[in-house]
Amino acid sequence: MKKTTNTFDLARFGETVRKYANENWRALAMKGGVMTGIFIVATIFIVLNTKRYYSEAYREYSSLYSEDPSSEIFWFLLMLALLLFGSIAASMTFGDLSTKEARLNDLTAPAAQSEKFLTRWLFYVPGFLVLFVVAGVLAELLRFGLLSAIVDCPDMVKLFTPMGNIINSNGLSNEFQQIVLVFLSLQSLFMLGSILWHKAAFVKTFLLLGLIAVAYFFIGYFTVVFLSLSPDSRFELTEDFWLIVAYCLTAVIVVFSHVVAWVRYKEMEIINRW
């Protein structure tokens, strides 16, 4: 008996993933190669501009000395790249559906809408994260190898020093938790933008989020000022409070964005609305 394509089927989902990979591996590999290449160039730039700090003079006299002088800028750029490239990748999730022919081909593919939606999500969300980790590890190994070979004090070069910014004695650091929450929010919003705007999705979503961020900043600022006006006010917001708020807000944003993206994707069944 022939299986219906209206319900999720794990075996057919595997075939859908394999089919998408076979049809798009060149484009996916090119995008991954570009990101890895940028990582390599940025790492070489960091090495050339920080190698002078790996010296006895710097270690003895500089108040800016850290265990590994280049690790802080490497960590900062790595987290910035996570947010930037994660947003770009998410904005490409439905980018190939810019024409009615492409949407028709996707609609008539022998798979459930949920299977095709999850396939795209799999490649551009967890798939991106796997590729990012691999590229980040390669960049760190390159940083360690180059610095160890060219500096005067190679003992100052430490491998995976930025891990201290991720895990501390209390578990995951608040800084890293905040970065993860921002990343999850941005990825879900840019994925939603990719299905709302098939052309220049990243730019349009970025501009819209910028306007929303400015509005929320002023709303939050004036709210705090208003609550602090009373001379007897004991209004005080701790870092833990803001972290709880961030977790709740991120959960709302991620669920909302995925639900709306799924509903919009389901509307492909009514082609004229696209």
Coordinates of all heavy atoms in Angstrom, one line a residue, residues 209-248:
L209 N 15.0 44.2 12.5 CA 15.4 43.9 13.8 C 16.1 45.1 14.5 O 16.0 45.4 15.7 CB 16.4 42.7 13.9 CG 15.7 41.4 13.5 CD1 16.8 40.3 13.6 CD2 14.6 41.1 14.5
G210 N 16.9 45.9 13.6 CA 17.5 47.1 14.1 C 16.5 48.1 14.6 O 16.7 48.7 15.7
L211 N 15.4 48.3 13.9 CA 14.4 49.3 14.3 C 13.7 48.8 15.6 O 13.4 49.6 16.5 CB 13.4 49.4 13.2 CG 13.9 50.1 11.9 CD1 12.8 50.1 10.9 CD2 14.3 51.6 12.2
I212 N 13.4 47.5 15.7 CA 12.8 46.9 16.9 C 13.7 47.0 18.1 O 13.3 47.4 19.2 CB 12.4 45.4 16.6 CG1 11.3 45.3 15.5 CG2 12.0 44.8 17.9 CD1 11.0 43.9 15.1
A213 N 15.0 46.8 17.9 CA 16.0 46.9 19.0 C 16.0 48.3 19.5 O 16.1 48.5 20.7 CB 17.4 46.4 18.5
V214 N 16.0 49.3 18.6 CA 16.1 50.7 19.1 C 14.8 51.0 19.9 O 14.9 51.6 20.9 CB 16.2 51.6 17.8 CG1 16.0 53.1 18.3 CG2 17.6 51.5 17.2
A215 N 13.7 50.6 19.4 CA 12.4 50.8 20.1 C 12.4 50.2 21.5 O 12.0 50.8 22.5 CB 11.2 50.3 19.3
Y216 N 12.9 48.9 21.6 CA 12.9 48.2 22.8 C 13.9 48.9 23.8 O 13.7 48.9 25.0 CB 13.2 46.7 22.6 CG 12.0 45.9 22.4 CD1 11.6 45.5 21.2 CD2 11.3 45.4 23.5 CE1 10.5 44.7 21.0 CE2 10.2 44.6 23.4 CZ 9.8 44.3 22.1 OH 8.6 43.5 22.0
F217 N 15.0 49.4 23.3 CA 16.0 50.0 24.1 C 15.4 51.2 24.8 O 15.5 51.4 26.0 CB 17.2 50.5 23.3 CG 18.2 51.3 24.1 CD1 19.1 50.8 25.0 CD2 18.2 52.7 23.9 CE1 19.9 51.6 25.7 CE2 19.0 53.5 24.6 CZ 19.9 52.9 25.5
F218 N 14.7 52.1 24.0 CA 14.1 53.3 24.6 C 13.0 52.9 25.6 O 12.8 53.6 26.6 CB 13.6 54.2 23.5 CG 14.8 55.0 22.9 CD1 15.2 54.7 21.6 CD2 15.4 56.0 23.6 CE1 16.2 55.4 21.0 CE2 16.4 56.7 23.0 CZ 16.9 56.4 21.7
I219 N 12.2 51.9 25.2 CA 11.1 51.5 26.1 C 11.7 51.0 27.4 O 11.2 51.3 28.5 CB 10.2 50.4 25.4 CG1 9.4 51.0 24.3 CG2 9.3 49.8 26.4 CD1 8.7 49.9 23.4
G220 N 12.7 50.1 27.3 CA 13.3 49.6 28.6 C 14.0 50.7 29.4 O 13.9 50.7 30.6
Y221 N 14.7 51.6 28.7 CA 15.4 52.7 29.4 C 14.4 53.6 30.2 O 14.6 53.8 31.4 CB 16.1 53.5 28.4 CG 16.8 54.8 29.0 CD1 17.9 54.6 29.8 CD2 16.2 56.0 28.9 CE1 18.5 55.8 30.4 CE2 16.8 57.1 29.4 CZ 18.0 57.0 30.2 OH 18.5 58.1 30.8
F222 N 13.3 54.0 29.5 CA 12.4 54.9 30.2 C 11.6 54.1 31.3 O 11.1 54.7 32.3 CB 11.4 55.5 29.2 CG 12.1 56.6 28.4 CD1 12.3 56.4 27.0 CD2 12.6 57.7 28.9 CE1 12.9 57.4 26.2 CE2 13.2 58.7 28.2 CZ 13.4 58.6 26.8
T223 N 11.4 52.8 31.1 CA 10.7 52.0 32.1 C 11.5 52.0 33.4 O 11.0 52.2 34.5 CB 10.5 50.6 31.6 OG1 9.6 50.6 30.5 CG2 9.8 49.8 32.7
V224 N 12.9 51.7 33.2 CA 13.8 51.7 34.4 C 13.8 53.1 35.1 O 13.8 53.2 36.3 CB 15.2 51.2 34.0 CG1 16.1 51.4 35.1 CG2 15.1 49.8 33.5
V225 N 13.9 54.1 34.3 CA 13.9 55.5 34.8 C 12.6 55.8 35.6 O 12.7 56.3 36.7 CB 14.1 56.5 33.7 CG1 13.9 58.0 34.2 CG2 15.5 56.4 33.1
F226 N 11.5 55.4 35.1 CA 10.2 55.6 35.7 C 10.1 54.9 37.1 O 9.7 55.4 38.1 CB 9.1 55.2 34.8 CG 7.7 55.3 35.4 CD1 7.1 56.5 35.6 CD2 7.1 54.1 35.9 CE1 5.8 56.6 36.2 CE2 5.8 54.2 36.5 CZ 5.2 55.5 36.6
L227 N 10.6 53.6 37.1 CA 10.5 52.8 38.3 C 11.5 53.3 39.3 O 11.4 53.0 40.5 CB 10.8 51.4 38.0 CG 9.7 50.7 37.1 CD1 10.2 49.2 36.8 CD2 8.4 50.6 37.9
S228 N 12.5 54.1 38.9 CA 13.5 54.6 39.9 C 13.3 56.0 40.3 O 14.1 56.5 41.1 CB 14.9 54.5 39.2 OG 15.2 53.2 38.7
L229 N 12.2 56.6 39.9 CA 11.9 58.0 40.3 C 11.6 58.2 41.7 O 12.0 59.2 42.3 CB 10.8 58.5 39.4 CG 11.1 58.8 38.0 CD1 9.8 59.3 37.3 CD2 12.2 59.8 37.8
S230 N 11.0 57.3 42.4 CA 10.6 57.4 43.8 C 11.8 57.4 44.7 O 12.7 56.6 44.5 CB 9.7 56.2 44.2 OG 9.4 56.3 45.6
P231 N 11.9 58.4 45.6 CA 13.1 58.5 46.5 C 13.2 57.2 47.4 O 14.2 56.9 47.9 CB 12.8 59.7 47.3 CG 11.3 60.0 47.2 CD 10.9 59.5 45.8
D232 N 12.0 56.6 47.7 CA 12.1 55.4 48.5 C 12.1 54.1 47.7 O 11.9 53.0 48.2 CB 10.8 55.4 49.4 CG 10.7 56.6 50.3 OD1 11.8 57.0 50.8 OD2 9.6 57.1 50.5
S233 N 12.4 54.3 46.4 CA 12.4 53.1 45.6 C 13.6 52.1 45.9 O 14.7 52.5 46.1 CB 12.6 53.5 44.1 OG 12.7 52.4 43.3
R234 N 13.2 50.9 46.0 CA 14.2 49.8 46.2 C 14.4 49.0 45.0 O 14.8 47.8 45.0 CB 13.8 48.9 47.4 CG 13.7 49.7 48.7 CD 13.3 48.7 49.9 NE 13.2 49.4 51.1 CZ 14.3 49.6 51.9 NH1 15.4 49.2 51.6 NH2 14.1 50.2 53.1
F235 N 14.0 49.6 43.9 CA 14.1 48.9 42.6 C 15.5 48.6 42.2 O 16.4 49.4 42.1 CB 13.5 49.8 41.5 CG 13.4 49.2 40.1 CD1 12.5 48.2 39.9 CD2 14.3 49.6 39.1 CE1 12.5 47.6 38.6 CE2 14.3 49.0 37.9 CZ 13.4 48.0 37.6
E236 N 15.8 47.3 42.1 CA 17.1 46.8 41.8 C 17.0 45.5 40.9 O 16.3 44.6 41.3 CB 17.9 46.6 43.0 CG 19.4 46.1 42.8 CD 20.1 45.9 44.0 OE1 19.6 46.2 45.1 OE2 21.3 45.5 44.0
L237 N 17.7 45.5 39.8 CA 17.7 44.3 38.9 C 19.1 43.7 38.9 O 20.0 44.4 38.5 CB 17.2 44.7 37.5 CG 15.9 45.4 37.4 CD1 15.6 45.7 36.0 CD2 14.8 44.4 37.9
T238 N 19.2 42.5 39.3 CA 20.4 41.8 39.4 C 20.7 41.1 38.0 O 19.8 41.0 37.2 CB 20.4 40.7 40.5 OG1 19.4 39.7 40.1 CG2 20.1 41.3 41.8
E239 N 22.0 40.7 37.9 CA 22.3 40.0 36.6 C 21.6 38.7 36.5 O 21.2 38.3 35.4 CB 23.9 39.7 36.7 CG 24.4 39.1 35.4 CD 25.9 39.0 35.4 OE1 26.5 39.4 36.3 OE2 26.4 38.4 34.4
D240 N 21.4 38.0 37.6 CA 20.6 36.7 37.5 C 19.2 37.0 37.1 O 18.6 36.2 36.3 CB 20.6 36.0 38.9 CG 22.0 35.5 39.2 OD1 22.8 35.3 38.3 OD2 22.2 35.3 40.4
F241 N 18.6 38.1 37.5 CA 17.2 38.4 37.1 C 17.2 38.6 35.6 O 16.3 38.1 34.9 CB 16.7 39.7 37.8 CG 15.4 40.2 37.3 CD1 14.2 39.7 37.7 CD2 15.4 41.3 36.4 CE1 13.0 40.2 37.3 CE2 14.2 41.7 35.9 CZ 13.0 41.2 36.3
W242 N 18.1 39.4 35.1 CA 18.1 39.7 33.6 C 18.4 38.4 32.8 O 17.9 38.2 31.7 CB 19.2 40.7 33.3 CG 18.8 42.1 33.6 CD1 19.4 43.0 34.5 CD2 17.7 42.8 33.0 NE1 18.7 44.2 34.5 CE2 17.7 44.1 33.7 CE3 16.7 42.5 32.1 CZ2 16.7 45.1 33.3 CZ3 15.8 43.5 31.8 CH2 15.8 44.7 32.4
L243 N 19.2 37.5 33.4 CA 19.4 36.2 32.7 C 18.1 35.4 32.6 O 17.9 34.8 31.6 CB 20.5 35.4 33.4 CG 21.1 34.3 32.7 CD1 21.8 34.7 31.4 CD2 22.2 33.6 33.5
I244 N 17.4 35.4 33.7 CA 16.1 34.7 33.7 C 15.1 35.3 32.6 O 14.5 34.6 31.9 CB 15.4 34.7 35.1 CG1 16.3 33.8 36.0 CG2 14.0 34.1 35.0 CD1 15.8 33.9 37.5
V245 N 15.1 36.6 32.6 CA 14.3 37.3 31.6 C 14.7 37.0 30.2 O 13.9 36.7 29.3 CB 14.3 38.8 31.8 CG1 13.7 39.6 30.7 CG2 13.7 39.2 33.2
A246 N 16.1 36.9 30.0 CA 16.6 36.6 28.7 C 16.2 35.2 28.3 O 15.9 34.9 27.1 CB 18.1 36.7 28.7
Y247 N 16.3 34.2 29.2 CA 15.9 32.8 28.9 C 14.4 32.8 28.5 O 14.0 32.1 27.5 CB 16.1 31.9 30.1 CG 17.4 31.2 30.1 CD1 18.4 31.7 31.0 CD2 17.7 30.1 29.3 CE1 19.7 31.1 31.0 CE2 18.9 29.5 29.4 CZ 19.9 30.0 30.2 OH 21.1 29.3 30.2
C248 N 13.5 33.5 29.2 CA 12.1 33.5 28.9 C 11.8 34.1 27.5 O 11.1 33.6 26.7 CB 11.3 34.2 30.0 SG 11.4 33.4 31.6

